[in-house]
Amino acid sequence: MTDPATVQALLLAWYDRHHRIMPWRVSPADRAAGVQADPYRVWLSEVMLQQTTVAAVRDYFHRFTARWPDVAALAAAEDAEVMAEWAGLGYYARARNLLKCARAVATDHGGRFPDTREGLLSLPGVGPYTAAAVASIAFDRAETVVDGNVERVMARLFQVEEPLPGAKPVLVAHAARLTPAERSGDYAQAVMDLGATICTPRNPACAICPLSAECAARAAGVQAELPRKTQKPAKPQREGVLWIALRPDGAVLLEERPQSGLLGGMAGFPTSGWDGSTAPAPLKADWQRVGEVRHTFTHFHLVLEILTAVTEAQPERGTFLPRAAFRPAALPTVMRKGWDLVPRDITGG
């Protein structure tokens, strides 16, 4: 049976030397000197990192914290501005929940995040993982933090043969048994760093792993095969139409999507078909097909036919936005793909 104290000591010693440097993280040396993590930055990073890589998040994090340096500033932000900055990170429900949570902290908690898992769970959009991560990393609470990296480390360390997702309760139980009462924030980040840099999905670097002597899967020679995963069913494909209308003066037709559902609350080009809507074209025009875009969401693949027109007709839905105010970068990724297909002599470059 793996000894928790041994694992904790080995892993924390490794983390002290090899921790990743991240803009939201306090180094082990600084923590030891009494520097505390900023709960706002920890929370923001955790929300951004959900189903997204560290490399993809860094620039977004820098932009967000430069523009909204604390939770009060974010709570006071305009919804559209936050959604525009979020564009490209995907899963726009997270951005809506981000604002709800910031406003709850500012209004109901005096601008201070609750310092316990239970208190954090009371905030809008904060689930069990995020609550445990913020409580542990920001407040050094002895909470068990389990993401995909931690699942992989636990599956190999204890040679858990049951495939995911069924094995999750077992992996969480193993992780909980190893979580220390002291330095729990550093420990949580250490396990995640180990999974991200050493105990990787393919070709784990067992020769330099601080836990190699403790690892049951390595002893059995099956470390690269774990964790096993239940085969996922093939994603279905949906199809639809995306209309890009411009006025002769360059104004672009946009509409705000419903708050609930895919890309909820985002401004974008009118669409139909793929999201359950059956709306016709937003105005009468000589629509020209310029191609199609393919995009993959969590649960399905999408193919959109892209139609464009230059017209002075009045729209039946949506509003023409002056070209000077139009920011393609603020569009959801799938709609930016459509915009990129429109000939430059129409869009003006």
mmCIF file of all heavy atoms in Angstrom, residues 232-274:
data_model
loop_
_atom_site.group_PDB
_atom_site.id
_atom_site.type_symbol
_atom_site.label_atom_id
_atom_site.label_comp_id
_atom_site.label_asym_id
_atom_site.label_seq_id
_atom_site.Cartn_x
_atom_site.Cartn_y
_atom_site.Cartn_z
ATOM 1 N N LYS A 232 -15.823 6.379 -26.763
ATOM 2 C CA LYS A 232 -16.923 7.320 -26.914
ATOM 3 C C LYS A 232 -17.677 7.060 -28.217
ATOM 4 O O LYS A 232 -17.068 6.690 -29.222
ATOM 5 C CB LYS A 232 -16.394 8.757 -26.912
ATOM 6 C CG LYS A 232 -15.743 9.188 -25.613
ATOM 7 C CD LYS A 232 -15.250 10.628 -25.716
ATOM 8 C CE LYS A 232 -14.604 11.087 -24.424
ATOM 9 N NZ LYS A 232 -14.113 12.486 -24.526
ATOM 10 N N PRO A 233 -18.987 7.263 -28.203
ATOM 11 C CA PRO A 233 -19.736 7.135 -29.456
ATOM 12 C C PRO A 233 -19.354 8.235 -30.429
ATOM 13 O O PRO A 233 -18.908 9.320 -30.018
ATOM 14 C CB PRO A 233 -21.198 7.266 -29.006
ATOM 15 C CG PRO A 233 -21.133 8.043 -27.732
ATOM 16 C CD PRO A 233 -19.854 7.629 -27.076
ATOM 17 N N ALA A 234 -19.499 7.953 -31.707
ATOM 18 C CA ALA A 234 -19.171 8.950 -32.723
ATOM 19 C C ALA A 234 -20.077 10.169 -32.575
ATOM 20 O O ALA A 234 -21.269 10.050 -32.266
ATOM 21 C CB ALA A 234 -19.328 8.351 -34.115
ATOM 22 N N LYS A 235 -19.506 11.353 -32.781
ATOM 23 C CA LYS A 235 -20.297 12.581 -32.685
ATOM 24 C C LYS A 235 -21.206 12.725 -33.899
ATOM 25 O O LYS A 235 -20.781 12.473 -35.025
ATOM 26 C CB LYS A 235 -19.380 13.804 -32.599
ATOM 27 C CG LYS A 235 -18.590 13.918 -31.312
ATOM 28 C CD LYS A 235 -17.764 15.199 -31.310
ATOM 29 C CE LYS A 235 -16.978 15.333 -30.008
ATOM 30 N NZ LYS A 235 -16.185 16.575 -29.967
ATOM 31 N N PRO A 236 -22.450 13.134 -33.687
ATOM 32 C CA PRO A 236 -23.332 13.382 -34.833
ATOM 33 C C PRO A 236 -22.921 14.660 -35.561
ATOM 34 O O PRO A 236 -22.144 15.463 -35.025
ATOM 35 C CB PRO A 236 -24.709 13.544 -34.184
ATOM 36 C CG PRO A 236 -24.405 14.059 -32.808
ATOM 37 C CD PRO A 236 -23.117 13.389 -32.408
ATOM 38 N N GLN A 237 -23.446 14.823 -36.762
ATOM 39 C CA GLN A 237 -23.166 16.035 -37.543
ATOM 40 C C GLN A 237 -24.441 16.830 -37.729
ATOM 41 O O GLN A 237 -25.491 16.271 -38.029
ATOM 42 C CB GLN A 237 -22.589 15.667 -38.914
ATOM 43 C CG GLN A 237 -22.309 16.888 -39.800
ATOM 44 C CD GLN A 237 -21.580 16.530 -41.068
ATOM 45 O OE1 GLN A 237 -20.444 16.063 -41.021
ATOM 46 N NE2 GLN A 237 -22.213 16.754 -42.221
ATOM 47 N N ARG A 238 -24.346 18.138 -37.516
ATOM 48 C CA ARG A 238 -25.465 19.037 -37.772
ATOM 49 C C ARG A 238 -25.090 19.971 -38.924
ATOM 50 O O ARG A 238 -23.914 20.229 -39.175
ATOM 51 C CB ARG A 238 -25.804 19.868 -36.528
ATOM 52 C CG ARG A 238 -26.238 19.060 -35.318
ATOM 53 C CD ARG A 238 -26.651 20.005 -34.201
ATOM 54 N NE ARG A 238 -26.836 19.310 -32.933
ATOM 55 C CZ ARG A 238 -27.130 19.914 -31.792
ATOM 56 N NH1 ARG A 238 -27.278 21.249 -31.770
ATOM 57 N NH2 ARG A 238 -27.278 19.226 -30.680
ATOM 58 N N GLU A 239 -26.132 20.481 -39.597
ATOM 59 C CA GLU A 239 -25.906 21.384 -40.717
ATOM 60 C C GLU A 239 -26.786 22.614 -40.586
ATOM 61 O O GLU A 239 -27.823 22.575 -39.910
ATOM 62 C CB GLU A 239 -26.186 20.667 -42.039
ATOM 63 C CG GLU A 239 -25.268 19.468 -42.271
ATOM 64 C CD GLU A 239 -25.594 18.717 -43.548
ATOM 65 O OE1 GLU A 239 -26.617 19.051 -44.185
ATOM 66 O OE2 GLU A 239 -24.823 17.809 -43.907
ATOM 67 N N GLY A 240 -26.378 23.701 -41.199
ATOM 68 C CA GLY A 240 -27.160 24.924 -41.131
ATOM 69 C C GLY A 240 -26.658 25.957 -42.108
ATOM 70 O O GLY A 240 -25.795 25.689 -42.953
ATOM 71 N N VAL A 241 -27.197 27.162 -41.979
ATOM 72 C CA VAL A 241 -26.853 28.273 -42.863
ATOM 73 C C VAL A 241 -26.412 29.455 -42.012
ATOM 74 O O VAL A 241 -26.952 29.693 -40.924
ATOM 75 C CB VAL A 241 -28.067 28.685 -43.724
ATOM 76 C CG1 VAL A 241 -27.713 29.870 -44.625
ATOM 77 C CG2 VAL A 241 -28.563 27.513 -44.559
ATOM 78 N N LEU A 242 -25.433 30.185 -42.515
ATOM 79 C CA LEU A 242 -24.971 31.414 -41.869
ATOM 80 C C LEU A 242 -24.999 32.517 -42.920
ATOM 81 O O LEU A 242 -24.422 32.369 -44.005
ATOM 82 C CB LEU A 242 -23.568 31.226 -41.310
ATOM 83 C CG LEU A 242 -22.950 32.385 -40.514
ATOM 84 C CD1 LEU A 242 -21.998 31.842 -39.457
ATOM 85 C CD2 LEU A 242 -22.189 33.329 -41.428
ATOM 86 N N TRP A 243 -25.720 33.606 -42.605
ATOM 87 C CA TRP A 243 -25.869 34.717 -43.539
ATOM 88 C C TRP A 243 -24.995 35.893 -43.115
ATOM 89 O O TRP A 243 -25.090 36.373 -41.979
ATOM 90 C CB TRP A 243 -27.320 35.183 -43.584
ATOM 91 C CG TRP A 243 -28.270 34.193 -44.186
ATOM 92 C CD1 TRP A 243 -28.479 33.950 -45.513
ATOM 93 C CD2 TRP A 243 -29.184 33.330 -43.487
ATOM 94 N NE1 TRP A 243 -29.451 32.987 -45.693
ATOM 95 C CE2 TRP A 243 -29.908 32.596 -44.454
ATOM 96 C CE3 TRP A 243 -29.447 33.119 -42.131
ATOM 97 C CZ2 TRP A 243 -30.881 31.657 -44.114
ATOM 98 C CZ3 TRP A 243 -30.408 32.187 -41.788
ATOM 99 C CH2 TRP A 243 -31.117 31.466 -42.773
ATOM 100 N N ILE A 244 -24.155 36.378 -44.036
ATOM 101 C CA ILE A 244 -23.320 37.544 -43.777
ATOM 102 C C ILE A 244 -23.751 38.650 -44.735
ATOM 103 O O ILE A 244 -23.495 38.580 -45.938
ATOM 104 C CB ILE A 244 -21.829 37.225 -43.966
ATOM 105 C CG1 ILE A 244 -21.409 36.082 -43.030
ATOM 106 C CG2 ILE A 244 -20.975 38.473 -43.702
ATOM 107 C CD1 ILE A 244 -19.967 35.655 -43.187
ATOM 108 N N ALA A 245 -24.451 39.661 -44.196
ATOM 109 C CA ALA A 245 -24.958 40.775 -45.005
ATOM 110 C C ALA A 245 -24.177 42.041 -44.682
ATOM 111 O O ALA A 245 -23.927 42.351 -43.511
ATOM 112 C CB ALA A 245 -26.447 40.985 -44.749
ATOM 113 N N LEU A 246 -23.794 42.763 -45.720
ATOM 114 C CA LEU A 246 -23.114 44.050 -45.561
ATOM 115 C C LEU A 246 -23.859 45.111 -46.349
ATOM 116 O O LEU A 246 -24.423 44.831 -47.406
ATOM 117 C CB LEU A 246 -21.667 43.974 -46.061
ATOM 118 C CG LEU A 246 -20.718 43.045 -45.316
ATOM 119 C CD1 LEU A 246 -20.690 41.677 -45.961
ATOM 120 C CD2 LEU A 246 -19.321 43.642 -45.277
ATOM 121 N N ARG A 247 -23.887 46.329 -45.826
ATOM 122 C CA ARG A 247 -24.399 47.468 -46.577
ATOM 123 C C ARG A 247 -23.276 48.016 -47.472
ATOM 124 O O ARG A 247 -22.094 47.760 -47.216
ATOM 125 C CB ARG A 247 -24.892 48.554 -45.630
ATOM 126 C CG ARG A 247 -26.219 48.255 -44.991
ATOM 127 C CD ARG A 247 -26.863 49.501 -44.407
ATOM 128 N NE ARG A 247 -25.930 50.357 -43.664
ATOM 129 C CZ ARG A 247 -26.158 50.843 -42.453
ATOM 130 N NH1 ARG A 247 -27.314 50.569 -41.838
ATOM 131 N NH2 ARG A 247 -25.296 51.631 -41.865
ATOM 132 N N PRO A 248 -23.625 48.787 -48.467
ATOM 133 C CA PRO A 248 -22.584 49.392 -49.308
ATOM 134 C C PRO A 248 -21.580 50.235 -48.526
ATOM 135 O O PRO A 248 -20.424 50.362 -48.934
ATOM 136 C CB PRO A 248 -23.385 50.252 -50.293
ATOM 137 C CG PRO A 248 -24.712 49.555 -50.391
ATOM 138 C CD PRO A 248 -24.974 49.035 -49.016
ATOM 139 N N ASP A 249 -22.002 50.803 -47.363
ATOM 140 C CA ASP A 249 -21.062 51.607 -46.579
ATOM 141 C C ASP A 249 -20.184 50.756 -45.653
ATOM 142 O O ASP A 249 -19.394 51.282 -44.867
ATOM 143 C CB ASP A 249 -21.812 52.656 -45.760
ATOM 144 C CG ASP A 249 -22.749 52.044 -44.716
ATOM 145 O OD1 ASP A 249 -22.784 50.795 -44.594
ATOM 146 O OD2 ASP A 249 -23.453 52.811 -44.029
ATOM 147 N N GLY A 250 -20.338 49.433 -45.747
ATOM 148 C CA GLY A 250 -19.498 48.530 -44.961
ATOM 149 C C GLY A 250 -20.103 48.025 -43.674
ATOM 150 O O GLY A 250 -19.528 47.149 -43.008
ATOM 151 N N ALA A 251 -21.259 48.554 -43.269
ATOM 152 C CA ALA A 251 -21.910 48.091 -42.040
ATOM 153 C C ALA A 251 -22.217 46.592 -42.146
ATOM 154 O O ALA A 251 -22.528 46.080 -43.228
ATOM 155 C CB ALA A 251 -23.175 48.883 -41.777
ATOM 156 N N VAL A 252 -22.151 45.898 -41.019
ATOM 157 C CA VAL A 252 -22.292 44.440 -40.986
ATOM 158 C C VAL A 252 -23.521 44.075 -40.155
ATOM 159 O O VAL A 252 -23.734 44.621 -39.076
ATOM 160 C CB VAL A 252 -21.033 43.787 -40.370
ATOM 161 C CG1 VAL A 252 -21.151 42.266 -40.384
ATOM 162 C CG2 VAL A 252 -19.777 44.226 -41.124
ATOM 163 N N LEU A 253 -24.312 43.133 -40.679
ATOM 164 C CA LEU A 253 -25.525 42.713 -39.980
ATOM 165 C C LEU A 253 -25.192 41.687 -38.901
ATOM 166 O O LEU A 253 -24.639 40.621 -39.186
ATOM 167 C CB LEU A 253 -26.531 42.107 -40.964
ATOM 168 C CG LEU A 253 -27.871 41.666 -40.346
ATOM 169 C CD1 LEU A 253 -28.633 42.873 -39.807
ATOM 170 C CD2 LEU A 253 -28.710 40.907 -41.370
ATOM 171 N N LEU A 254 -25.544 42.012 -37.661
ATOM 172 C CA LEU A 254 -25.325 41.124 -36.524
ATOM 173 C C LEU A 254 -26.606 41.012 -35.722
ATOM 174 O O LEU A 254 -27.454 41.912 -35.746
ATOM 175 C CB LEU A 254 -24.212 41.640 -35.614
ATOM 176 C CG LEU A 254 -22.813 41.786 -36.209
ATOM 177 C CD1 LEU A 254 -21.875 42.404 -35.177
ATOM 178 C CD2 LEU A 254 -22.276 40.447 -36.682
ATOM 179 N N GLU A 255 -26.739 39.910 -34.997
ATOM 180 C CA GLU A 255 -27.846 39.768 -34.057
ATOM 181 C C GLU A 255 -27.324 39.121 -32.787
ATOM 182 O O GLU A 255 -26.336 38.388 -32.804
ATOM 183 C CB GLU A 255 -28.987 38.937 -34.653
ATOM 184 C CG GLU A 255 -28.674 37.472 -34.881
ATOM 185 C CD GLU A 255 -29.885 36.677 -35.344
ATOM 186 O OE1 GLU A 255 -30.966 37.263 -35.471
ATOM 187 O OE2 GLU A 255 -29.737 35.470 -35.575
ATOM 188 N N GLU A 256 -27.993 39.424 -31.697
ATOM 189 C CA GLU A 256 -27.602 38.829 -30.415
ATOM 190 C C GLU A 256 -28.337 37.520 -30.244
ATOM 191 O O GLU A 256 -29.556 37.457 -30.369
ATOM 192 C CB GLU A 256 -27.916 39.772 -29.258
ATOM 193 C CG GLU A 256 -27.449 39.236 -27.910
ATOM 194 C CD GLU A 256 -27.632 40.228 -26.787
ATOM 195 O OE1 GLU A 256 -27.284 41.405 -26.992
ATOM 196 O OE2 GLU A 256 -28.138 39.826 -25.719
ATOM 197 N N ARG A 257 -27.592 36.468 -29.943
ATOM 198 C CA ARG A 257 -28.194 35.155 -29.764
ATOM 199 C C ARG A 257 -28.911 35.083 -28.410
ATOM 200 O O ARG A 257 -28.584 35.831 -27.488
ATOM 201 C CB ARG A 257 -27.128 34.069 -29.869
ATOM 202 C CG ARG A 257 -26.442 34.039 -31.242
ATOM 203 C CD ARG A 257 -25.454 32.894 -31.334
ATOM 204 N NE ARG A 257 -26.122 31.604 -31.180
ATOM 205 C CZ ARG A 257 -26.769 30.965 -32.143
ATOM 206 N NH1 ARG A 257 -26.846 31.501 -33.365
ATOM 207 N NH2 ARG A 257 -27.341 29.799 -31.938
ATOM 208 N N PRO A 258 -29.886 34.168 -28.296
ATOM 209 C CA PRO A 258 -30.581 34.018 -27.013
ATOM 210 C C PRO A 258 -29.594 33.729 -25.888
ATOM 211 O O PRO A 258 -28.530 33.137 -26.108
ATOM 212 C CB PRO A 258 -31.507 32.817 -27.258
ATOM 213 C CG PRO A 258 -31.695 32.781 -28.742
ATOM 214 C CD PRO A 258 -30.402 33.259 -29.333
ATOM 215 N N GLN A 259 -29.938 34.157 -24.674
ATOM 216 C CA GLN A 259 -29.046 33.974 -23.537
ATOM 217 C C GLN A 259 -28.765 32.506 -23.247
ATOM 218 O O GLN A 259 -27.664 32.138 -22.844
ATOM 219 C CB GLN A 259 -29.626 34.652 -22.292
ATOM 220 C CG GLN A 259 -29.563 36.168 -22.336
ATOM 221 C CD GLN A 259 -28.144 36.694 -22.363
ATOM 222 O OE1 GLN A 259 -27.266 36.196 -21.662
ATOM 223 N NE2 GLN A 259 -27.910 37.700 -23.205
ATOM 224 N N SER A 260 -29.769 31.657 -23.446
ATOM 225 C CA SER A 260 -29.570 30.229 -23.198
ATOM 226 C C SER A 260 -29.220 29.536 -24.498
ATOM 227 O O SER A 260 -29.555 30.016 -25.582
ATOM 228 C CB SER A 260 -30.833 29.612 -22.597
ATOM 229 O OG SER A 260 -31.926 29.761 -23.487
ATOM 230 N N GLY A 261 -28.545 28.417 -24.400
ATOM 231 C CA GLY A 261 -28.215 27.652 -25.594
ATOM 232 C C GLY A 261 -26.813 27.941 -26.098
ATOM 233 O O GLY A 261 -26.036 28.687 -25.494
ATOM 234 N N LEU A 262 -26.486 27.360 -27.236
ATOM 235 C CA LEU A 262 -25.163 27.482 -27.811
ATOM 236 C C LEU A 262 -24.825 28.931 -28.152
ATOM 237 O O LEU A 262 -25.648 29.650 -28.712
ATOM 238 C CB LEU A 262 -25.066 26.619 -29.073
ATOM 239 C CG LEU A 262 -25.046 25.106 -28.823
ATOM 240 C CD1 LEU A 262 -25.407 24.352 -30.079
ATOM 241 C CD2 LEU A 262 -23.676 24.681 -28.324
ATOM 242 N N LEU A 263 -23.624 29.340 -27.793
ATOM 243 C CA LEU A 263 -23.142 30.702 -28.027
ATOM 244 C C LEU A 263 -24.083 31.731 -27.415
ATOM 245 O O LEU A 263 -24.231 32.837 -27.918
ATOM 246 C CB LEU A 263 -22.966 30.971 -29.539
ATOM 247 C CG LEU A 263 -22.168 29.929 -30.341
ATOM 248 C CD1 LEU A 263 -22.062 30.346 -31.795
ATOM 249 C CD2 LEU A 263 -20.783 29.733 -29.755
ATOM 250 N N GLY A 264 -24.719 31.364 -26.319
ATOM 251 C CA GLY A 264 -25.721 32.208 -25.695
ATOM 252 C C GLY A 264 -25.222 33.589 -25.342
ATOM 253 O O GLY A 264 -24.149 33.752 -24.769
ATOM 254 N N GLY A 265 -26.007 34.616 -25.711
ATOM 255 C CA GLY A 265 -25.674 35.982 -25.388
ATOM 256 C C GLY A 265 -24.642 36.620 -26.282
ATOM 257 O O GLY A 265 -24.338 37.806 -26.134
ATOM 258 N N MET A 266 -24.104 35.857 -27.225
ATOM 259 C CA MET A 266 -23.068 36.394 -28.103
ATOM 260 C C MET A 266 -23.686 37.116 -29.287
ATOM 261 O O MET A 266 -24.746 36.755 -29.783
ATOM 262 C CB MET A 266 -22.179 35.264 -28.628
ATOM 263 C CG MET A 266 -21.365 34.568 -27.565
ATOM 264 S SD MET A 266 -20.084 35.619 -26.864
ATOM 265 C CE MET A 266 -18.993 35.812 -28.267
ATOM 266 N N ALA A 267 -22.999 38.140 -29.771
ATOM 267 C CA ALA A 267 -23.386 38.788 -31.022
ATOM 268 C C ALA A 267 -22.719 38.036 -32.161
ATOM 269 O O ALA A 267 -21.547 37.648 -32.067
ATOM 270 C CB ALA A 267 -22.949 40.249 -31.026
ATOM 271 N N GLY A 268 -23.482 37.800 -33.227
ATOM 272 C CA GLY A 268 -22.930 37.073 -34.358
ATOM 273 C C GLY A 268 -23.795 37.233 -35.587
ATOM 274 O O GLY A 268 -24.808 37.945 -35.574
ATOM 275 N N PHE A 269 -23.413 36.572 -36.653
ATOM 276 C CA PHE A 269 -24.200 36.611 -37.878
ATOM 277 C C PHE A 269 -25.458 35.764 -37.702
ATOM 278 O O PHE A 269 -25.455 34.765 -36.974
ATOM 279 C CB PHE A 269 -23.388 36.072 -39.045
ATOM 280 C CG PHE A 269 -22.087 36.786 -39.269
ATOM 281 C CD1 PHE A 269 -20.879 36.110 -39.209
ATOM 282 C CD2 PHE A 269 -22.064 38.147 -39.533
ATOM 283 C CE1 PHE A 269 -19.678 36.764 -39.404
ATOM 284 C CE2 PHE A 269 -20.863 38.820 -39.738
ATOM 285 C CZ PHE A 269 -19.668 38.117 -39.667
ATOM 286 N N PRO A 270 -26.551 36.127 -38.353
ATOM 287 C CA PRO A 270 -27.757 35.307 -38.290
ATOM 288 C C PRO A 270 -27.494 33.900 -38.840
ATOM 289 O O PRO A 270 -26.771 33.735 -39.835
ATOM 290 C CB PRO A 270 -28.748 36.071 -39.167
ATOM 291 C CG PRO A 270 -28.259 37.488 -39.155
ATOM 292 C CD PRO A 270 -26.763 37.381 -39.109
ATOM 293 N N THR A 271 -28.043 32.909 -38.179
ATOM 294 C CA THR A 271 -27.897 31.521 -38.619
ATOM 295 C C THR A 271 -29.236 30.813 -38.499
ATOM 296 O O THR A 271 -30.187 31.337 -37.906
ATOM 297 C CB THR A 271 -26.864 30.758 -37.766
ATOM 298 O OG1 THR A 271 -27.361 30.631 -36.418
ATOM 299 C CG2 THR A 271 -25.523 31.465 -37.748
ATOM 300 N N SER A 272 -29.274 29.608 -39.015
ATOM 301 C CA SER A 272 -30.483 28.800 -38.904
ATOM 302 C C SER A 272 -30.140 27.344 -39.119
ATOM 303 O O SER A 272 -29.140 27.007 -39.752
ATOM 304 C CB SER A 272 -31.526 29.245 -39.938
ATOM 305 O OG SER A 272 -32.734 28.528 -39.769
ATOM 306 N N GLY A 273 -30.985 26.462 -38.555
ATOM 307 C CA GLY A 273 -30.892 25.038 -38.827
ATOM 308 C C GLY A 273 -30.118 24.240 -37.810
ATOM 309 O O GLY A 273 -30.656 23.340 -37.173
ATOM 310 N N TRP A 274 -28.873 24.565 -37.586
ATOM 311 C CA TRP A 274 -27.986 23.741 -36.777
ATOM 312 C C TRP A 274 -28.318 23.761 -35.299
ATOM 313 O O TRP A 274 -28.033 22.817 -34.570
ATOM 314 C CB TRP A 274 -26.543 24.198 -36.970
ATOM 315 C CG TRP A 274 -26.289 25.580 -36.441
ATOM 316 C CD1 TRP A 274 -26.647 26.751 -37.020
ATOM 317 C CD2 TRP A 274 -25.621 25.917 -35.228
ATOM 318 N NE1 TRP A 274 -26.246 27.814 -36.250
ATOM 319 C CE2 TRP A 274 -25.603 27.335 -35.148
ATOM 320 C CE3 TRP A 274 -25.025 25.178 -34.208
ATOM 321 C CZ2 TRP A 274 -25.021 28.010 -34.086
ATOM 322 C CZ3 TRP A 274 -24.449 25.849 -33.152
ATOM 323 C CH2 TRP A 274 -24.446 27.245 -33.090
#
